[in-house]
Amino acid sequence: MNNNWIEANTFHHSQFKELQRLVAAKERKNLSISLCLPTLNEEKTIAKEIVIMKSELMTRYPLLDEIVVVDSGSTDHTRDIAASYDVRVVEADNILPQLAKYKGKGENLWKALFVTVGDIIVYIDADIKNIHHRFAYGLLGPLLLTDHIRFTKAFYDRPIAEDTNKYRPSGGGRVTELVVRPLFSMFMPDLTQIMQPLSGEYAGYRSIFENIPFHIGYGVETGMLIDIHEKWGLDVMAQVDLDRRVHRNQDTKALGRMSFVIIKTFLDRMERLRRMELKQELFESMIQYALAAGKLQAEGSIPERYERPPIIELAEYREKFV
Amino acid sequence: MDRFIDLLPAFEAEIRNIREIIISNIVLIGQVPAPTFHEQRRAQRLVERLADFQVDECTIDDFGNPIAIIRGTSPSRPPIFVVAHLDTFSQDQEESYNFQVTDKIISGPGVSDNSAAVGVLASLPEIFRRLKLCFESDIVLVAPTLCLGRGNLKSIRRLLRNWATPIRGAICLESVELGRLNYYSDGMIRGEVECSSIAAVDPWERHRKPNAILVINEVINTILSLRLPQKPRCQIVIGKISGGFDHGNIAYEAKIGFEIRSDSDEMVKDLYGQIRDIVEEFDKRFDVELKLQRISNLNATRLRYNHPLIKCGSRILDRLGVETFSEPSETALSIFLHRQIPAITLGLTHGDNFHQDGAMIEIEPLCKGISQIPALIMAMDHGVCDEQ
């Protein structure tokens, strides 16, 4: 295990708060940057995210070149509200419409690669209540100010010692601590150094994202980390402490379905990388139980399992970008 | 004056171009809770934002007031103050409020009193820059703390008492309501009457004690029976009440908050004296302890109705197509006026549910509301609002 990584590649957003420095680095490197906000019924939070990102990182400091909202078919006013702040709003189904249509955050992120133009793409979830522009500039800092970091991932609540004897908890969520970290510990201990592998905020060079597959749903973050680690190694990655993030909480059942997809994505990757051999086909359905009229009833659900190939393999994409 | 008024449509358009910056300031500052006496975190955030907008001098003074000075071109000119009180009625001290923004409104605790105005105050340096405005006078941006309730406008009183130079005039900003043009304040005393009945140790004994709620009720009825003259105009408002702890138990604590208002300071003092007599009498009559406490007070003061500053403010609103209304204002305005500094209070937009859950302001009228400020400051800076 590479023990130096956590020290060398862990940052705090405050290290990058001099925005003029980031803008200068961006201009020196002749880069363009896109911010993608994937949405599904986010009418309560989307405008605040757009307004703050646009005012601070476009109007005041030209760090972002575009903000693109990729929507999964919201049934509330998400799209109208977003459009009222003069950003591009695209329905995922209308991007590459000739392809089979899927619903999921990963699908939005993958399709965003086709509609955005930036050399660097920042992905930020649209349900953050305490949104601040540090969520974007914190992730961009290491990408712009170093030459070797190509992918950055957010984590929240500082896990590092506050003083010599006092530590704060890692802040990893339940699925991280109960599912992902044990799996990484068993198979890929290097990746345990990533404090919050499931955090929904990350940024990277297009050249990274276009060369990896995207799970269309909850497996997108886990698959992405494994693939980047396998292709380019740990040193192209960095993690940035963005302090605190306030967002919607999911109930345990929803987290169970999420864990199902993540475990499945992980096992698929392990098989593909020939690190493990399964002797049976995995079942597709997640079975949970509910008490109804005094009886336990099984509720089966088949979480999304599809994975988009690296978008660079798509002729339409190569025609546009390569 | 006409040349400033003619600029209003251009001002409004340019302000609309940077509405995201203004909304960001409202959200980023307003989400930091600032109940009276606990404004430090918001003060710090405001000063950071102002410094980030490269204002010449930013500081938090000894009284906790965030102050920023945009230096003018003529050091000999007295400064013009723009003021928006920093504290909010919301007593919730959670780490952060969650403001919501849509295409039409911003909602969240305290946004309409007075977080939107504070956000606008923080945006003024950028607004002036975008409008390419510079002034002869220094523009002093202040968000005074300790304004509401027991705060009794303490910080702005101290600031003005200690300000070394003459002040040319002041504009006080309130989030709502667009069209307000306040230029006078009533004499006012806010007080509280607290009734406590000594808690009996024996539960049966407790039932024989006077009920504090009923005693307070008697106090209310007696206050309401006071004869109030029509002239000078005066009013007593019983605005707050609390007491008791359980449905089935005699209340041994109850409290009311009241406000006496009048355009005559003498009348306010006289009515307060009468309430004191009522409280003293009830204190003797019942087996309870009744206490009267003065929370805050203001002197009746006003700008002459035909003062050029009022005329300018009124013409600006007229040109914006907004109906003007005036009412007495118990804000920093009265402190400026009491010190013979010409001042008016302006509202910036429309809103609702001011001190309740669901407090909100409208975004669209905000651009129009803000455009009043640069136009009025230009007029003040050119001496149009000075008394001859």
Side-chain angles (χ1 to χ4, degrees):
Chain A
M1 179 165 149
N2 176 356
N3 289 315
N4 297 328
W5 183 88
I6 202 162
E7 202 162 312
N9 288 32
T10 301
F11 300 91
H12 188 262
H13 67 83
S14 59
Q15 293 171 260
F16 311 111
K17 67 180 180 189
E18 285 173 42
L19 298 182
Q20 202 51 55
R21 197 166 145 234
L22 299 188
V23 172
K26 175 197 161 193
E27 284 168 0
R28 194 173 58 247
K29 293 181 172 181
N30 195 24
L31 294 169
S32 57
I33 302 174
S34 304
L35 169 64
C36 167
L37 303 171
T39 56
L40 175 62
N41 295 330
E42 313 288 5
E43 67 178 2
K44 289 187 174 166
T45 45
I46 186 65
K48 196 158 78 172
E49 292 209 11
I50 292 171
V51 160
I52 290 176
M53 293 298 171
K54 193 174 168 198
S55 77
E56 303 303 301
L57 303 181
M58 289 180 87
T59 312
R60 296 187 59 209
Y61 295 94
L63 194 60
L64 301 176
D65 295 281
E66 62 172 352
I67 297 175
V68 179
V69 173
V70 182
D71 185 69
S72 295
S74 295
T75 51
D76 64 5
H77 295 100
T78 301
R79 287 193 301 276
D80 291 341
I81 290 173
S84 73
Y85 286 100
D86 301 324
V87 294
R88 260 176 88 199
V89 181
V90 199
E91 274 198 73
D93 281 354
N94 295 337
I95 304 169
L96 297 164
Q98 68 280 19
L99 303 181
K101 292 176 171 54
Y102 300 106
K103 294 284 182 212
K105 178 188 164 189
E107 174 81 348
N108 290 17
L109 305 186
W110 184 76
K111 285 187 167 176
L113 294 171
F114 190 74
V115 292
T116 54
V117 295
D119 303 302
I120 291 174
I121 295 135
V122 187
Y123 292 116
I124 294 183
D125 278 353
D127 66 342
I128 304 173
K129 291 179 178 173
N130 64 327
I131 190 69
H132 185 274
H133 47 298
R134 69 173 186 270
F135 284 80
Y137 73 70
L139 291 170
L140 286 167
L143 298 174
L144 293 170
L145 299 182
T146 71
D147 289 326
H148 64 287
I149 293 170
R150 315 291 288 172
F151 172 80
T152 51
K153 181 127 186 114
F155 70 99
Y156 304 94
D157 285 335
R158 237 174 284 190
I160 300 158
E162 287 181 313
D163 58 50
T164 45
N165 296 315
K166 198 173 162 194
Y167 286 80
R168 285 166 60 187
S170 75
R174 283 169 284 175
V175 179
T176 293
E177 298 304 328
L178 300 176
V179 177
V180 181
R181 199 175 301 288
L183 288 173
F184 281 166
S185 300
M186 280 183 257
F187 292 91
M188 311 180 84
D190 271 355
L191 289 179
T192 58
Q193 297 174 91
I194 293 175
M195 290 298 127
Q196 286 170 359
L198 301 181
S199 72
E201 287 69 47
Y202 29 90
Y205 280 82
R206 177 176 290 276
S207 55
I208 294 278
F209 292 130
E210 68 188 2
N211 279 294
I212 56 172
F214 277 60
H215 189 282
I216 63 161
Y218 289 132
V220 63
E221 282 89 13
T222 312
M224 186 180 284
L225 285 179
I226 295 171
D227 292 334
I228 294 173
H229 181 250
E230 281 300 308
K231 262 179 181 282
W232 295 281
L234 200 59
D235 287 338
V236 301
M237 295 195 244
Q239 60 186 347
V240 186
D241 183 346
L242 298 181
D243 282 347
R244 191 159 174 262
R245 182 191 197 276
V246 183
H247 61 106
R248 273 195 311 249
N249 265 330
Q250 300 207 58
D251 64 35
T252 312
K253 263 192 158 175
L255 295 181
R257 289 190 292 276
M258 184 180 178
S259 302
F260 181 90
V261 178
I262 288 167
I263 293 169
K264 191 144 194 321
T265 307
F266 186 86
L267 296 178
D268 284 348
R269 287 290 190 288
M270 291 303 101
E271 275 210 297
R272 206 180 301 166
L273 297 171
R274 298 180 189 285
R275 291 184 178 215
M276 193 176 73
E277 198 179 334
L278 283 172
K279 296 290 187 193
Q280 70 158 72
E281 280 285 302
L282 296 178
F283 291 98
E284 298 291 351
S285 179
M286 166 75 174
I287 304 163
Q288 294 170 305
Y289 288 86
L291 196 61
K295 284 187 176 177
L296 283 170
Q297 280 189 348
E299 292 173 344
S301 58
I302 301 179
E304 71 289 274
R305 58 201 162 91
Y306 195 78
E307 193 164 280
R308 291 291 192 185
I311 202 166
I312 195 92
E313 293 174 10
L314 221 68
E316 294 93 328
Y317 181 86
R318 286 200 303 277
E319 201 175 302
K320 192 172 172 186
F321 288 98
V322 182
Chain B
M1 184 63 202
D2 285 341
R3 62 188 166 124
F4 309 124
I5 286 181
D6 289 343
L7 291 169
L8 281 166
F11 285 177
E12 194 181 333
E14 187 57 36
I15 289 165
R16 187 163 282 108
N17 283 340
I18 57 164
R19 70 177 173 154
E20 282 92 357
I21 291 179
I22 297 160
I23 298 171
S24 288
N25 277 329
I26 293 171
V27 171
L28 292 173
I29 298 166
Q31 287 191 153
V32 181
T36 311
F37 297 102
H38 299 280
E39 303 100 332
Q40 298 88 339
R41 280 178 55 224
R42 183 179 289 191
Q44 194 58 45
R45 172 67 61 86
L46 174 58
V47 164
E48 282 166 14
R49 291 295 290 173
L50 286 162
D52 199 29
F53 282 96
Q54 276 116 43
V55 179
D56 301 321
E57 287 172 35
C58 302
T59 187
I60 295 176
D61 72 5
D62 295 343
F63 317 120
N65 299 308
I67 300 176
I69 302 175
I70 302 170
R71 285 289 173 209
T73 54
S74 176
S76 59
R77 294 270 187 192
I80 296 167
F81 273 53
V82 186
V83 176
H85 73 81
L86 193 69
D87 46 349
T88 61
F89 273 104
S90 177
Q91 291 302 310
D92 207 342
Q93 279 199 67
E94 57 191 294
E95 189 179 325
S96 174
Y97 296 145
N98 176 28
F99 277 22
Q100 284 187 18
V101 181
T102 71
D103 48 340
K104 296 185 177 65
I105 65 162
I106 306 170
S107 58
V111 68
S112 47
D113 189 12
N114 196 28
S115 304
V118 175
V120 169
L121 187 83
S123 310
L124 286 178
E126 186 65 16
I127 291 169
F128 296 155
R129 196 172 297 127
R130 299 272 173 166
L131 298 177
K132 299 184 175 56
L133 298 181
C134 57
F135 305 102
E136 288 191 351
S137 289
D138 288 351
I139 308 299
V140 181
L141 309 177
V142 189
T145 56
L146 304 180
C147 286
L148 301 170
R150 289 172 185 268
N152 195 21
L153 298 160
K154 268 189 201 112
S155 297
I156 189 73
R157 285 179 208 263
R158 289 176 188 162
L159 175 70
L160 296 187
R161 200 181 303 135
N162 289 281
W163 194 265
T165 64
I167 295 169
R168 197 167 193 180
I171 303 170
C172 304
L173 303 180
E174 290 283 337
S175 305
V176 292
E177 193 52 38
L178 177 58
R180 81 192 266 180
L181 202 165
N182 301 342
Y183 56 92
Y184 61 95
S185 68
D186 279 348
M188 181 274 285
I189 292 179
R190 285 188 187 138
E192 285 180 354
V193 181
E194 196 174 347
C195 174
S196 24
S197 138
I198 314 301
V201 180
D202 177 358
W204 292 107
E205 183 68 15
R206 196 186 299 155
H207 287 284
R208 286 193 284 275
K209 286 280 175 188
N211 186 326
I213 290 176
L214 299 183
V215 176
I216 277 288
N217 183 51
E218 288 295 312
V219 173
I220 292 173
N221 287 338
T222 314
I223 291 174
L224 294 180
S225 68
L226 291 174
R227 294 176 69 88
L228 304 180
Q230 291 201 349
K231 198 157 178 68
R233 178 175 51 78
C234 54
Q235 187 181 18
I236 300 175
V237 177
I238 312 275
K240 285 173 79 175
I241 187 162
S242 62
F245 61 98
D246 194 8
H247 293 80
N249 280 297
I250 299 281
Y252 36 76
E253 275 187 352
K255 189 156 81 170
I256 55 166
F258 65 89
E259 181 176 296
I260 307 165
R261 285 184 217 145
S262 172
D263 48 10
S264 154
D265 287 341
E266 284 308 310
M267 196 68 219
V268 173
K269 272 186 209 157
D270 182 54
L271 286 170
Y272 188 75
Q274 291 188 52
I275 291 178
R276 190 172 48 225
D277 292 343
I278 293 168
V279 169
E280 279 173 7
E281 194 216 325
F282 277 72
D283 187 50
K284 287 175 193 136
R285 201 197 301 173
F286 294 99
D287 183 16
V288 292
E289 193 180 355
L290 267 172
K291 270 192 283 189
L292 173 67
Q293 197 184 1
R294 183 185 297 212
I295 303 299
S296 59
N297 63 288
L298 279 179
N299 293 106
T301 178
R302 60 169 51 235
L303 205 56
R304 188 169 41 79
Y305 75 96
N306 57 355
H307 190 282
L309 182 58
I310 302 174
K311 283 187 169 174
C312 285
S314 177
R315 284 191 63 191
I316 287 168
L317 282 166
D318 200 37
R319 179 60 180 267
L320 289 170
V322 176
E323 198 178 334
T324 306
F325 62 95
S326 294
E327 54 190 23
S329 173
E330 293 81 36
T331 63
L333 171 81
S334 62
I335 311 301
F336 283 103
L337 294 181
H338 187 64
R339 301 189 76 84
Q340 313 298 322
I341 300 164
I344 55 173
T345 297
L346 301 176
L348 296 174
T349 184
H350 304 305
D352 211 348
N353 300 327
F354 307 125
H355 303 137
Q356 300 155 6
D357 288 344
M360 58 77 92
I361 57 150
E362 292 178 25
I363 293 170
E364 177 51 32
L366 193 57
C367 302
K368 189 175 276 192
I370 295 170
S371 69
Q372 300 172 89
I373 306 168
L376 194 56
I377 292 180
M378 282 179 87
M380 291 166 84
D381 193 51
H382 282 81
V384 178
C385 302
D386 293 341
E387 231 169 351
Q388 298 304 312

